[in-house]
Amino acid sequence: MQKIILSVAALFAMQFATAQDYKNSIGLRLGSGYYDVVAASFKTFITEPGALEFDLGIRPYSHPYADWTNVSLAGTYQHHFPISKIEGFKWFVGGGLVASNSFSKNDYYSGFNLGIYPTGGVEYKLKNAPFVFSADIRPTFHVVEAYDYYNGTYFNGGVTARYIF
């Protein structure tokens, strides 16, 4: 019985020894996608390697024939893996869903959009400061498209800076 208790205690201690570097963070994401150029970003770890990231973004457009603004909400699951020999540096893969709405005086550029995407990227947490930085790619495939601006598929990449709390 004593061996079982010691084994469970050792496994419990190892779990905390390899735990993620932080629990929650909030900041800004600068993106290249058509649904967001700048977004408020919140990330929370739900397990040691698994995190959820939520981005509330905006992108204004101005063309000679129409002006419109996209407002979006994206939710992403990310599974993190350490990069050996570099403390605080991880890579991640996952996927997510983005819902956006386009607002315009021209009805052709107004409406609801919904897309899905795989994601991958890297993340670095500063050792002596409460900040984390990441870069990702999110090739997005429209499930619902209000207008045919990108023909259903578009590339989205971004960089994020967040404060850890």
Side-chain angles (χ1 to χ4, degrees):
M1 182 67 163
Q2 188 177 16
K3 287 182 181 181
I4 293 173
I5 292 172
L6 289 174
S7 297
V8 170
L11 287 173
F12 189 70
M14 285 191 311
Q15 175 71 20
F16 283 102
T18 61
Q20 74 270 4
D21 298 329
Y22 64 96
K23 173 71 175 157
N24 297 310
S25 61
I26 192 164
L28 288 176
R29 180 178 189 273
L30 302 177
S32 64
Y34 99 99
Y35 59 85
D36 68 347
V37 166
V38 64
S41 178
F42 172 75
K43 185 172 186 175
T44 185
F45 278 85
I46 55 175
T47 64
E48 179 182 338
L52 295 175
E53 181 178 334
F54 299 97
D55 303 312
L56 179 60
I58 189 166
R59 165 116 192 224
Y61 284 90
S62 183
H63 291 285
Y65 50 88
D67 293 333
W68 71 95
T69 301
N70 281 345
V71 177
S72 66
L73 177 63
T76 308
Y77 173 78
Q78 300 170 347
H79 193 88
H80 293 75
F81 304 91
I83 297 176
S84 63
K85 300 181 183 180
I86 305 174
E87 186 179 340
F89 200 43
K90 299 177 182 179
W91 64 280
F92 59 86
V93 295
L97 179 72
V98 60
S100 69
N101 201 56
S102 301
F103 300 94
S104 176
K105 291 179 181 177
N106 183 336
D107 286 341
Y108 179 77
Y109 295 101
S110 293
F112 180 74
N113 305 285
L114 184 66
I116 59 173
Y117 54 85
T119 188
V122 294
E123 178 176 276
Y124 181 70
K125 182 201 171 290
L126 294 178
K127 185 176 181 178
N128 297 321
F131 295 99
V132 62
F133 303 95
S134 64
D136 63 51
I137 55 169
R138 298 177 180 177
T140 305
F141 308 95
H142 272 120
V143 177
V144 175
E145 191 169 29
Y147 52 89
D148 195 26
Y149 191 71
Y150 280 94
N151 297 320
T153 304
Y154 56 91
F155 173 81
N156 185 9
V159 294
T160 306
R162 288 186 302 274
Y163 174 76
I164 296 169
F165 62 97

